[in-house]
Amino acid sequence: MSDDERDEKELDLTSPDVVTKYKSAAEIVNKALQLVISECKPDVKIVDICEKGDSFIREQTGKLYKNVKKKIERGVAFPTCISVNNTVCHFSPLASDETVLEVGDILKIDMACHIDGFIAAVAHTHVLREGPVTGRAADVIAAANTAAEVALRLVKPGKKNQDVTDAIQKVAAAYDCRIVEGVLSHQMKQFVIDANKVVLSVSNPDTRVDDAEFEENEVYAIDIVASTGEGKPKLLDEKQTTIYKRAVDRSYNLKMKASRFIYSEISQNFPIMPFSARALEEKRARLGLVECMNHELLQPYPVLHEKPGDYVAHIKFTVLLMPNGSDRITSHPLQEIQPTKTVDDPEIKAWLALGVKTKKKGGGKKKKGKKGAEGEGEADATNDASTQEQN
């Protein structure tokens, strides 16, 4: 086997080392999410919580692979974001931002970790209140979560990306909610958070992606955002955008000294993964980022909003399409929710009843009666909103 062939093989889930790195990254980001949720309290600044999430990931990944000969890149793969109420995504404020949390806020927490470029991403919705979540807030969380459960069962070899798009929209409608337009679920590869295979959240004439079929040994970040509003978020203030990713295929000779300094710092510290401008010197970054953006050297992750009063929920998980079935490696248990709607649609119930793991072929006896026998135990026990809504 040539070195090139060996390198290509190592990118695949057929390599136990690759699977280990994905799962190690997932363990860290799941713990980071747990930490962030525990820090979300009234009157606490959002930026302080985001920084704690990022710091935890940097600290924990820094403990791994310290004694190997080859340098292993590791750390934050997507900065911690806490988007509140009708804010849809990507709110990760600068150090000077004074925004604090309030009782009753609906928080969308989004973050990712990588080890050697193998990325584990997660997003979770948490309401800052005591007791069960009720009313339309509960509906939208149940819609996003049930859609995620259905997606988990449909993102498997042989299924098409359009199958998932159609299904999650149907789930949202059952809760009188809408899937938010413009959110994409991506295949992920080593050092690539947004590979070519894509699942659209909403099909419309303005947004098209290539038809694709899921294949064994692929990895996906399944990204579901639901809203009680129209599901057509808008950019209200460009100054809120703080997360960027270097466009590796673009080049330009920057004119301003501040721009060259900032772009050099970005290229050195964040060559591939998305980063927060919070990691840069704020005053210089404000000057330098403008020219970088004007010449498309950076890809922005804009902060989008639904209308005031709309409720938005976000669930994201990373799934490995293993030979024995789908392995969801990132998640967090929901609060108790009491939706006003129930899912009675037979097709949605049939999707939720599908197994996540593949039954063993021949040889061994099939075990019946155990919830985990087909592997859906770990997925259903914590996150199946179709069960929780009966509570």
Side-chain angles (χ1 to χ4, degrees):
M1 182 185 292
S2 70
D3 289 342
D4 287 344
E5 288 173 331
R6 188 175 292 107
D7 288 344
E8 183 66 28
K9 182 175 175 59
E10 287 174 356
L11 299 178
D12 195 281
L13 292 178
T14 52
S15 164
D17 184 47
V18 168
V19 175
T20 297
K21 287 173 180 174
Y22 272 118
K23 292 194 172 183
S24 296
E27 183 178 357
I28 290 170
V29 83
N30 286 335
K31 288 180 179 177
L33 173 58
Q34 189 174 359
L35 169 68
V36 167
I37 293 171
S38 71
E39 295 288 335
C40 288
K41 298 170 185 174
D43 301 320
V44 176
K45 287 202 293 186
I46 291 177
V47 64
D48 291 343
I49 307 172
C50 290
E51 188 51 52
K52 285 182 180 179
D54 291 348
S55 295
F56 180 86
I57 289 173
R58 288 193 294 265
E59 178 187 317
Q60 296 301 311
T61 54
K63 296 177 181 178
L64 303 178
Y65 297 96
K66 290 197 299 185
N67 299 320
V68 294
K69 291 181 180 178
K70 178 186 173 185
K71 183 184 177 184
I72 300 288
E73 299 288 340
R74 55 206 188 275
V76 175
F78 198 87
T80 303
C81 302
I82 302 177
S83 305
V84 178
N85 299 331
N86 63 306
T87 303
V88 174
C89 56
H90 303 153
F91 188 73
S92 188
L94 300 176
S96 58
D97 192 288
E98 297 292 328
T99 308
V100 299
L101 299 178
E102 298 179 9
V103 173
D105 282 346
I106 300 180
L107 317 177
K108 281 77 65 181
I109 303 163
D110 186 6
M111 58 203 316
C113 167
H114 82 96
I115 295 172
D116 197 18
F118 298 105
I119 303 161
V122 69
H124 179 74
T125 300
H126 178 78
V127 182
L128 209 58
R129 59 166 294 166
E130 298 291 332
V133 180
T134 58
R136 292 295 281 153
D139 287 344
V140 77
I141 295 171
N145 192 67
T146 308
E149 289 292 334
V150 168
L152 174 65
R153 288 154 174 78
L154 295 182
V155 178
K156 60 183 181 182
K159 289 286 188 181
K160 303 283 181 63
N161 53 355
Q162 187 61 47
D163 297 334
V164 181
T165 302
D166 295 341
I168 62 176
Q169 289 181 78
K170 186 168 188 175
V171 170
Y175 289 96
D176 194 21
C177 295
R178 293 190 179 185
I179 296 296
V180 172
E181 293 182 5
V183 179
L184 302 176
S185 297
H186 282 279
Q187 182 188 5
M188 296 192 295
K189 298 181 179 180
Q190 188 181 29
F191 291 109
V192 183
I193 201 167
D194 50 2
N196 292 336
K197 285 192 180 180
V198 173
V199 180
L200 269 179
S201 293
V202 179
S203 297
N204 61 48
D206 298 326
T207 311
R208 295 183 181 277
V209 298
D210 293 336
D211 291 339
E213 183 174 306
F214 305 114
E215 298 179 47
E216 193 173 287
N217 295 316
E218 291 179 338
V219 179
Y220 287 87
I222 303 302
D223 205 349
I224 310 287
V225 184
S227 171
T228 60
E230 295 180 359
K232 297 180 179 181
K234 292 181 170 57
L235 173 65
L236 300 182
D237 183 0
E238 287 186 0
K239 292 180 180 178
Q240 286 188 326
T241 300
T242 62
I243 298 177
Y244 304 89
K245 184 175 69 136
R246 197 168 73 92
V248 294
D249 58 339
R250 301 284 297 185
S251 62
Y252 176 78
N253 292 323
L254 293 161
K255 303 297 187 288
M256 291 174 56
K257 184 177 179 181
S259 305
R260 293 195 298 272
F261 180 89
I262 284 296
Y263 191 68
S264 174
E265 188 177 352
I266 290 166
S267 300
Q268 183 175 343
N269 296 323
F270 313 104
I272 297 175
M273 296 295 181
F275 65 93
S276 169
R278 190 172 57 248
L280 309 171
E281 197 278 310
E282 188 168 334
K283 189 173 181 180
R284 188 174 270 169
R286 285 189 186 280
L287 288 171
L289 288 172
V290 174
E291 190 181 7
C292 293
M293 285 294 300
N294 287 343
H295 296 282
E296 300 180 347
L297 295 179
L298 299 175
Q299 173 190 325
Y301 289 82
V303 179
L304 302 176
H305 302 265
E306 281 277 67
K307 292 178 180 176
D310 291 340
Y311 296 113
V312 179
H314 188 187
I315 300 290
K316 183 194 294 180
F317 62 88
T318 301
V319 59
L320 313 182
L321 302 189
M322 303 294 289
N324 65 337
S326 300
D327 190 355
R328 173 170 52 188
I329 58 174
T330 59
S331 66
H332 191 279
L334 291 179
Q335 296 163 278
E336 182 184 351
I337 58 174
Q338 296 177 354
T340 67
K341 313 289 182 183
T342 56
V343 174
D344 298 316
D345 187 285
E347 189 172 24
I348 296 175
K349 288 187 172 183
W351 286 328
L352 291 168
L354 292 172
V356 176
K357 295 289 187 181
T358 305
K359 292 180 181 179
K360 291 182 179 178
K361 296 178 182 178
K365 295 179 180 178
K366 295 177 183 175
K367 295 181 181 179
K368 294 183 179 179
K370 284 190 177 182
K371 188 170 187 182
E374 292 181 15
E376 65 254 62
E378 75 258 24
D380 294 348
T382 58
N383 274 355
D384 193 339
S386 65
T387 301
Q388 294 195 35
E389 69 185 11
Q390 307 300 332
N391 291 344

Short mmCIF file of all heavy atoms in Angstrom, two decimals, residues 67-102:
data_model
loop_
_atom_site.label_atom_id
_atom_site.label_comp_id
_atom_site.label_asym_id
_atom_site.label_seq_id
_atom_site.Cartn_x
_atom_site.Cartn_y
_atom_site.Cartn_z
N ASN A 67 1.92 13.15 23.53
CA ASN A 67 3.19 12.44 23.44
C ASN A 67 3.39 11.70 22.12
O ASN A 67 4.16 10.75 22.05
CB ASN A 67 3.31 11.44 24.61
CG ASN A 67 3.27 12.16 25.96
OD1 ASN A 67 3.86 13.22 26.12
ND2 ASN A 67 2.56 11.57 26.91
N VAL A 68 2.68 12.12 21.08
CA VAL A 68 2.85 11.47 19.78
C VAL A 68 3.88 12.25 18.96
O VAL A 68 4.05 13.46 19.14
CB VAL A 68 1.50 11.39 19.01
CG1 VAL A 68 0.54 10.47 19.73
CG2 VAL A 68 0.89 12.77 18.82
N LYS A 69 4.56 11.56 18.06
CA LYS A 69 5.61 12.19 17.26
C LYS A 69 5.03 13.22 16.29
O LYS A 69 5.52 14.32 16.16
CB LYS A 69 6.39 11.13 16.49
CG LYS A 69 7.24 10.24 17.38
CD LYS A 69 8.01 9.21 16.55
CE LYS A 69 8.86 8.32 17.45
NZ LYS A 69 9.57 7.29 16.65
N LYS A 70 3.96 12.82 15.60
CA LYS A 70 3.33 13.72 14.63
C LYS A 70 2.44 14.72 15.38
O LYS A 70 1.65 14.35 16.23
CB LYS A 70 2.50 12.91 13.64
CG LYS A 70 1.76 13.76 12.61
CD LYS A 70 0.85 12.88 11.77
CE LYS A 70 -0.02 13.73 10.85
NZ LYS A 70 -1.00 12.91 10.10
N LYS A 71 2.57 16.00 15.05
CA LYS A 71 1.75 17.02 15.70
C LYS A 71 0.28 16.82 15.32
O LYS A 71 -0.06 16.70 14.15
CB LYS A 71 2.20 18.42 15.29
CG LYS A 71 1.42 19.52 16.01
CD LYS A 71 1.82 20.90 15.53
CE LYS A 71 0.97 21.97 16.21
NZ LYS A 71 1.27 23.33 15.70
N ILE A 72 -0.58 16.75 16.34
CA ILE A 72 -2.02 16.56 16.12
C ILE A 72 -2.73 17.88 16.40
O ILE A 72 -2.72 18.38 17.53
CB ILE A 72 -2.58 15.45 17.04
CG1 ILE A 72 -1.88 14.11 16.79
CG2 ILE A 72 -4.09 15.32 16.89
CD1 ILE A 72 -2.25 13.45 15.50
N GLU A 73 -3.36 18.45 15.36
CA GLU A 73 -4.18 19.65 15.58
C GLU A 73 -5.43 19.26 16.35
O GLU A 73 -6.02 18.20 16.12
CB GLU A 73 -4.58 20.26 14.23
CG GLU A 73 -3.42 20.71 13.36
CD GLU A 73 -2.73 21.95 13.91
OE1 GLU A 73 -3.34 22.67 14.71
OE2 GLU A 73 -1.56 22.18 13.54
N ARG A 74 -5.88 20.13 17.25
CA ARG A 74 -7.07 19.83 18.03
C ARG A 74 -7.58 21.11 18.68
O ARG A 74 -6.82 22.07 18.85
CB ARG A 74 -6.78 18.77 19.09
CG ARG A 74 -5.63 19.11 20.03
CD ARG A 74 -5.00 17.83 20.59
NE ARG A 74 -4.01 18.11 21.62
CZ ARG A 74 -2.74 18.39 21.38
NH1 ARG A 74 -2.30 18.46 20.15
NH2 ARG A 74 -1.89 18.61 22.38
N GLY A 75 -8.85 21.11 19.04
CA GLY A 75 -9.40 22.29 19.71
C GLY A 75 -10.81 22.61 19.26
O GLY A 75 -11.60 21.71 18.92
N VAL A 76 -11.16 23.90 19.25
CA VAL A 76 -12.50 24.36 18.90
C VAL A 76 -12.68 24.25 17.38
O VAL A 76 -11.88 24.75 16.61
CB VAL A 76 -12.71 25.82 19.35
CG1 VAL A 76 -14.06 26.35 18.88
CG2 VAL A 76 -12.59 25.93 20.87
N ALA A 77 -13.76 23.58 16.97
CA ALA A 77 -14.07 23.47 15.54
C ALA A 77 -15.17 24.45 15.13
O ALA A 77 -15.31 24.77 13.95
CB ALA A 77 -14.50 22.05 15.19
N PHE A 78 -15.94 24.91 16.11
CA PHE A 78 -16.90 25.99 15.89
C PHE A 78 -17.10 26.68 17.24
O PHE A 78 -17.40 26.01 18.24
CB PHE A 78 -18.24 25.47 15.36
CG PHE A 78 -19.08 26.55 14.72
CD1 PHE A 78 -18.93 26.88 13.39
CD2 PHE A 78 -20.00 27.27 15.47
CE1 PHE A 78 -19.68 27.89 12.81
CE2 PHE A 78 -20.76 28.28 14.90
CZ PHE A 78 -20.59 28.59 13.56
N PRO A 79 -16.93 28.01 17.28
CA PRO A 79 -16.99 28.71 18.57
C PRO A 79 -18.35 28.56 19.24
O PRO A 79 -19.38 28.44 18.56
CB PRO A 79 -16.74 30.18 18.18
CG PRO A 79 -16.07 30.12 16.86
CD PRO A 79 -16.61 28.91 16.17
N THR A 80 -18.36 28.58 20.56
CA THR A 80 -19.60 28.47 21.32
C THR A 80 -20.51 29.66 21.00
O THR A 80 -20.10 30.82 21.07
CB THR A 80 -19.31 28.45 22.83
OG1 THR A 80 -18.42 27.36 23.10
CG2 THR A 80 -20.59 28.27 23.62
N CYS A 81 -21.76 29.35 20.66
CA CYS A 81 -22.77 30.37 20.37
C CYS A 81 -23.95 30.17 21.32
O CYS A 81 -24.33 29.03 21.59
CB CYS A 81 -23.28 30.26 18.93
SG CYS A 81 -22.01 30.40 17.68
N ILE A 82 -24.52 31.26 21.79
CA ILE A 82 -25.76 31.21 22.58
C ILE A 82 -26.71 32.23 21.97
O ILE A 82 -26.57 33.44 22.18
CB ILE A 82 -25.50 31.50 24.07
CG1 ILE A 82 -24.50 30.50 24.65
CG2 ILE A 82 -26.82 31.45 24.85
CD1 ILE A 82 -24.13 30.76 26.10
N SER A 83 -27.65 31.74 21.19
CA SER A 83 -28.61 32.60 20.48
C SER A 83 -29.93 32.57 21.24
O SER A 83 -30.49 31.50 21.47
CB SER A 83 -28.79 32.11 19.04
OG SER A 83 -27.53 32.03 18.39
N VAL A 84 -30.43 33.74 21.60
CA VAL A 84 -31.55 33.86 22.55
C VAL A 84 -32.86 34.19 21.84
O VAL A 84 -32.90 35.05 20.94
CB VAL A 84 -31.23 34.93 23.61
CG1 VAL A 84 -32.38 35.11 24.59
CG2 VAL A 84 -29.95 34.55 24.37
N ASN A 85 -33.92 33.49 22.24
CA ASN A 85 -35.29 33.78 21.82
C ASN A 85 -35.45 33.75 20.30
O ASN A 85 -35.25 32.72 19.69
CB ASN A 85 -35.77 35.09 22.44
CG ASN A 85 -35.78 35.01 23.96
OD1 ASN A 85 -35.97 33.95 24.53
ND2 ASN A 85 -35.56 36.12 24.63
N ASN A 86 -35.79 34.88 19.65
CA ASN A 86 -36.02 34.87 18.20
C ASN A 86 -34.73 34.94 17.39
O ASN A 86 -34.76 34.88 16.16
CB ASN A 86 -36.95 36.01 17.79
CG ASN A 86 -36.36 37.38 18.06
OD1 ASN A 86 -35.95 37.66 19.20
ND2 ASN A 86 -36.31 38.24 17.06
N THR A 87 -33.56 35.07 18.07
CA THR A 87 -32.28 34.97 17.36
C THR A 87 -32.07 33.50 16.98
O THR A 87 -32.17 32.62 17.83
CB THR A 87 -31.12 35.45 18.24
OG1 THR A 87 -31.39 36.79 18.66
CG2 THR A 87 -29.82 35.42 17.48
N VAL A 88 -31.79 33.27 15.70
CA VAL A 88 -31.76 31.89 15.20
C VAL A 88 -30.41 31.22 15.48
O VAL A 88 -30.37 30.08 15.94
CB VAL A 88 -32.05 31.89 13.68
CG1 VAL A 88 -31.88 30.48 13.10
CG2 VAL A 88 -33.46 32.40 13.43
N CYS A 89 -29.30 31.92 15.20
CA CYS A 89 -28.02 31.22 15.25
C CYS A 89 -26.84 32.19 15.26
O CYS A 89 -26.99 33.38 14.96
CB CYS A 89 -27.89 30.30 14.03
SG CYS A 89 -28.09 31.15 12.45
N HIS A 90 -25.67 31.64 15.61
CA HIS A 90 -24.34 32.27 15.43
C HIS A 90 -24.09 33.47 16.32
O HIS A 90 -23.18 34.26 16.03
CB HIS A 90 -24.13 32.67 13.95
CG HIS A 90 -24.26 31.55 12.99
ND1 HIS A 90 -24.63 31.74 11.67
CD2 HIS A 90 -24.06 30.22 13.14
CE1 HIS A 90 -24.67 30.56 11.05
NE2 HIS A 90 -24.33 29.63 11.92
N PHE A 91 -24.83 33.62 17.42
CA PHE A 91 -24.55 34.75 18.32
C PHE A 91 -23.45 34.35 19.29
O PHE A 91 -23.65 33.54 20.20
CB PHE A 91 -25.81 35.18 19.08
CG PHE A 91 -25.60 36.46 19.86
CD1 PHE A 91 -25.52 37.68 19.22
CD2 PHE A 91 -25.49 36.43 21.24
CE1 PHE A 91 -25.33 38.86 19.93
CE2 PHE A 91 -25.29 37.60 21.97
CZ PHE A 91 -25.21 38.82 21.31
N SER A 92 -22.26 34.90 19.08
CA SER A 92 -21.09 34.62 19.91
C SER A 92 -20.37 35.95 20.10
O SER A 92 -19.43 36.28 19.39
CB SER A 92 -20.18 33.59 19.23
OG SER A 92 -19.14 33.17 20.09
N PRO A 93 -20.81 36.76 21.07
CA PRO A 93 -20.43 38.18 21.12
C PRO A 93 -18.96 38.42 21.47
O PRO A 93 -18.27 37.55 21.98
CB PRO A 93 -21.35 38.74 22.20
CG PRO A 93 -21.70 37.57 23.06
CD PRO A 93 -21.75 36.39 22.15
N LEU A 94 -18.54 39.64 21.17
CA LEU A 94 -17.20 40.08 21.51
C LEU A 94 -17.10 40.37 23.01
O LEU A 94 -18.11 40.49 23.70
CB LEU A 94 -16.84 41.33 20.72
CG LEU A 94 -16.85 41.19 19.19
CD1 LEU A 94 -16.57 42.53 18.53
CD2 LEU A 94 -15.85 40.14 18.74
N ALA A 95 -15.87 40.51 23.49
CA ALA A 95 -15.64 40.69 24.94
C ALA A 95 -16.33 41.95 25.48
O ALA A 95 -16.71 41.99 26.65
CB ALA A 95 -14.14 40.76 25.21
N SER A 96 -16.50 42.96 24.63
CA SER A 96 -17.10 44.22 25.08
C SER A 96 -18.62 44.17 25.18
O SER A 96 -19.24 45.10 25.69
CB SER A 96 -16.71 45.34 24.12
OG SER A 96 -17.15 45.03 22.80
N ASP A 97 -19.23 43.09 24.71
CA ASP A 97 -20.70 42.99 24.69
C ASP A 97 -21.24 42.73 26.10
O ASP A 97 -20.76 41.85 26.81
CB ASP A 97 -21.12 41.85 23.75
CG ASP A 97 -22.61 41.87 23.44
OD1 ASP A 97 -23.40 41.52 24.33
OD2 ASP A 97 -22.97 42.23 22.30
N GLU A 98 -22.27 43.48 26.47
CA GLU A 98 -22.81 43.40 27.83
C GLU A 98 -24.12 42.61 27.92
O GLU A 98 -24.76 42.59 28.97
CB GLU A 98 -23.05 44.83 28.37
CG GLU A 98 -21.79 45.67 28.51
CD GLU A 98 -20.87 45.16 29.60
OE1 GLU A 98 -21.37 44.61 30.61
OE2 GLU A 98 -19.64 45.29 29.45
N THR A 99 -24.53 41.96 26.84
CA THR A 99 -25.80 41.24 26.83
C THR A 99 -25.82 40.14 27.89
O THR A 99 -24.89 39.33 27.98
CB THR A 99 -26.06 40.61 25.45
OG1 THR A 99 -25.93 41.60 24.45
CG2 THR A 99 -27.46 40.01 25.39
N VAL A 100 -26.89 40.11 28.70
CA VAL A 100 -27.04 39.11 29.76
C VAL A 100 -28.28 38.26 29.52
O VAL A 100 -29.19 38.65 28.78
CB VAL A 100 -27.11 39.76 31.16
CG1 VAL A 100 -25.83 40.53 31.46
CG2 VAL A 100 -28.33 40.66 31.28
N LEU A 101 -28.31 37.11 30.17
CA LEU A 101 -29.46 36.22 30.09
C LEU A 101 -30.55 36.67 31.07
O LEU A 101 -30.27 37.27 32.10
CB LEU A 101 -29.05 34.79 30.40
CG LEU A 101 -28.01 34.16 29.46
CD1 LEU A 101 -27.66 32.76 29.92
CD2 LEU A 101 -28.51 34.16 28.02
N GLU A 102 -31.79 36.34 30.71
CA GLU A 102 -32.93 36.67 31.56
C GLU A 102 -33.80 35.45 31.76
O GLU A 102 -33.81 34.53 30.93
CB GLU A 102 -33.76 37.80 30.92
CG GLU A 102 -33.01 39.11 30.73
CD GLU A 102 -33.86 40.17 30.07
OE1 GLU A 102 -35.08 39.94 29.91
OE2 GLU A 102 -33.31 41.23 29.71
#
